[in-house]
Amino acid sequence: MADPVIDYDDVQGTILRGYRVDMARHFILSITNPQAAGRLIGALVDGSNGLPKITTARHIQPKPPCFLNISFTCPGLARLGINAKQLATFDHSFQLGATNSASAEAVGDIGSSAPQNWIGGLQDGAKVHVLLSLWVTESAEVLESISAQLRAAFNGCMTELYAQDAHALPDNKVHFGYRDSIAQPTVIGAPATKREAPDDQPAVKTGEFLLGYQNEINGSYTVSPPELSTNSSYAAFRILEQDVAGFDAILARYAEQTGLDTEMLAAKICGRWRNGNPLELMPDAPGEVLPPSKLNNFNYVTGVAPSDDTLGLTCPIGSHIRRNNPRNGDVNGGGTRGSTNHRIVRRAMPYGPAYDPQHPVNAPRGLTGYFINASIFNQFEFVTRDWNDTYLFVKAATGPGGSNDGNAVSNITGHDVFLGINDPVDSSFTLAGKGPHGSGNTLLEGFSRTITTRGGAYCFFPSITGLRYLAKLPSTL
């Protein structure tokens, strides 16, 4: 079957391509005047009234100084005039919203991460209507000047609840020190890119990221009205605060307990060395950074020793990258093509000052941005709930050495060290060793959360056609 032809001019750019910029500002907005808000949406689609234009998936040369995209919550669509019957056709999790208690529990937003503790007005999901995201290539002056234009345009139609800034760290790292943005899914029909590292896993059907196209279960996600359906998408917006000092303390504590080097332990927890090289390809030391064509060229199960890692002896089954993309491992939710129906596109950047362990400054820092998919329930929530926040998704499997070497189900415990609901009372992480029934394993126990949710929203990114429809809708009511 031929790849679908996507009209890139009808798709908001951030869904299908990364912008590779240095700064971002995410405006959290509440609609006060729907008719005026509609006019602003129309102006942003056209780039009129001196405003920046909504960026599409069509590559622009030369690279512009900024990129702009817009999304709406379920209350935001209702405020613009989408009726209850129409909203009932949208993703169920999107309808509930990120602050709903069931949604929050599904993704581990409890305790200190619970919505009532969120910042910037995000704790009141009913008032969060619009997320407008501005990405700037490298100039702080451009960021401020365009922000001033946008803020002037908000007057009379939207109230700014909050603005979350983000900025790239050197060598594309996150605050925990790992190189980031390495493995994104290859979306069938998406624009080709030279800069993002290719993913050697099966290409993912377009319908997993854009409504109106065939997805991995040979159906398609659609909504009503039809103007909002094809070429639209969903996303979970997240503000994730990272406890760098706490993570460093975890490394120091368990390195002493196990005798492992702290960098080896950091690699075991993530599944990659901090320079981005995967343990499956570089099991003993980080080495020189592998070329993009090699960084993702591996699987966990080969059936042949010594490359087979069914048991997680090289890359722990509970490591961050293995939980979030089990590849060809035998897990609940996987299939003949692996985990392609649960892949997520991530567009996120760090926020807050870089952490200096020699001169630590107690300031909020973390990661913020979008987790993009065509089904929040089946992709974002599934991965978080069924893979990050439990260990029961792994199916029984032995490697080439047979059951005497162990079984995969015995070689994973607890939650993801980064994204899981970790409480010192019952948290654990397994370093697998050979032996039946987990007898060769080493357990790391009694650590706290390293990441706390500080804000979130479930968003809908309309197509350009959909934005033009929404721009006119309030005036017809």
Side-chain angles (χ1 to χ4, degrees):
M1 181 182 295
D3 290 350
V5 177
I6 302 171
D7 181 0
Y8 299 149
D9 294 319
D10 195 43
V11 180
Q12 292 203 55
T14 196
I15 301 168
L16 294 182
R17 63 187 181 96
Y19 294 139
R20 300 287 180 175
V21 296
D22 293 334
M23 289 168 280
R25 179 166 289 160
H26 305 288
F27 295 97
I28 315 300
L29 305 167
S30 188
I31 296 173
T32 54
N33 183 323
Q35 289 74 26
R39 291 192 291 272
L40 174 58
I41 294 166
L44 292 172
V45 170
D46 295 330
S48 57
N49 300 334
L51 294 171
K53 188 176 182 178
I54 297 295
T55 305
T56 73
R58 181 77 62 187
H59 277 299
I60 305 170
Q61 293 294 339
K63 188 174 182 177
C66 73
F67 303 86
L68 189 73
N69 289 117
I70 190 170
S71 62
F72 304 87
T73 65
C74 190
L77 291 179
R79 191 84 173 102
L80 290 170
I82 301 300
N83 63 46
K85 183 177 180 180
Q86 293 168 327
L87 289 172
T89 67
F90 282 68
D91 180 270
H92 180 66
S93 296
F94 171 76
Q95 295 178 52
L96 293 178
T99 58
N100 175 271
S101 59
S103 301
E105 185 174 351
V107 297
D109 287 339
I110 60 176
S112 58
S113 288
Q116 60 262 32
N117 299 318
W118 289 357
I119 61 176
L122 287 161
Q123 66 271 25
D124 187 352
K127 292 182 180 179
V128 177
H129 297 153
V130 180
L131 278 78
L132 183 66
S133 293
L134 173 65
W135 291 271
V136 172
T137 302
E138 59 184 13
S139 170
E141 290 76 14
V142 170
L143 177 67
E144 295 304 332
S145 65
I146 295 179
S147 293
Q149 285 181 287
L150 292 170
R151 282 170 167 147
F154 299 156
N155 287 332
C157 64
M158 300 183 190
T159 296
E160 180 181 329
L161 301 177
Y162 188 61
Q164 175 64 51
D165 283 3
H167 60 88
L169 295 177
D171 199 26
N172 202 31
K173 290 187 175 182
V174 296
H175 288 290
F176 286 155
Y178 297 92
R179 187 178 167 205
D180 196 27
S181 299
I182 292 174
Q184 297 274 24
T186 299
V187 182
I188 294 175
T193 177
K194 295 180 179 180
R195 296 193 64 182
E196 291 184 3
D199 189 327
D200 79 311
Q201 301 306 291
V204 184
K205 291 184 179 179
T206 314
E208 294 296 320
F209 298 99
L210 287 177
L211 275 62
Y213 296 84
Q214 188 179 72
N215 57 31
E216 289 292 329
I217 58 172
N218 295 321
S220 64
Y221 299 112
T222 58
V223 299
S224 178
E227 290 86 351
L228 295 182
S229 207
T230 303
N231 292 328
S232 299
S233 192
Y234 297 98
F237 175 77
R238 307 283 278 169
I239 303 173
L240 303 173
E241 186 172 304
Q242 297 174 327
D243 181 3
V244 184
F247 181 61
D248 285 351
I250 287 173
L251 294 180
R253 172 185 172 186
Y254 295 112
E256 182 177 0
Q257 174 183 317
T258 62
L260 291 175
D261 176 79
T262 55
E263 288 306 302
M264 172 61 84
L265 186 57
K268 291 287 188 180
I269 288 171
C270 180
R272 293 184 186 271
W273 298 92
R274 296 210 224 209
N275 69 358
N277 287 344
L279 279 169
E280 293 294 353
L281 300 181
M282 305 292 288
D284 301 316
E288 296 296 320
V289 177
L290 295 170
S293 60
K294 299 290 186 181
L295 278 172
N296 290 305
N297 188 20
F298 65 91
N299 261 314
Y300 299 116
V301 180
T302 67
V304 180
S307 61
D308 184 272
D309 197 25
T310 298
L311 301 179
L313 301 176
T314 300
C315 179
I317 299 173
S319 68
H320 177 68
I321 68 166
R322 195 158 175 172
R323 282 180 178 271
N324 284 272
N325 181 13
R327 299 187 177 232
N328 67 338
D330 198 1
V331 298
N332 295 331
T336 57
R337 284 168 50 85
S339 54
T340 48
N341 62 325
H342 303 297
R343 296 298 303 273
I344 296 169
V345 164
R346 186 164 63 88
R347 309 294 188 205
M349 292 175 66
Y351 70 88
Y355 182 77
D356 181 355
Q358 303 303 317
H359 303 91
V361 175
N362 185 20
R365 54 176 61 84
L367 195 73
T368 188
Y370 297 95
F371 296 79
I372 299 172
N373 42 221
S375 171
I376 295 173
F377 176 80
N378 189 54
Q379 289 166 270
F380 173 73
E381 287 190 346
F382 178 93
V383 170
T384 306
R385 178 189 61 242
D386 290 57
W387 290 347
N388 280 296
D389 287 344
T390 182
Y391 61 91
L392 299 176
F393 65 96
V394 175
K395 295 182 180 180
T398 57
S403 59
N404 283 336
D405 284 350
N407 194 298
V409 294
S410 300
N411 290 359
I412 177 174
T413 57
H415 299 172
D416 181 30
V417 174
F418 295 139
L419 297 177
I421 312 166
N422 292 305
D423 187 298
V425 173
D426 57 8
S427 58
S428 67
F429 179 81
T430 297
L431 297 171
K434 284 187 178 182
H437 311 297
S439 58
N441 295 346
T442 299
L443 282 184
L444 312 183
E445 299 178 290
F447 50 89
S448 300
R449 294 185 85 145
T450 60
I451 292 179
T452 302
T453 306
R454 293 303 184 201
Y458 286 166
C459 316
F460 181 74
F461 280 95
S463 65
I464 302 302
T465 298
L467 288 173
R468 294 190 187 281
Y469 175 83
L470 289 175
K472 296 177 181 178
L473 183 62
S475 63
T476 65
L477 299 177

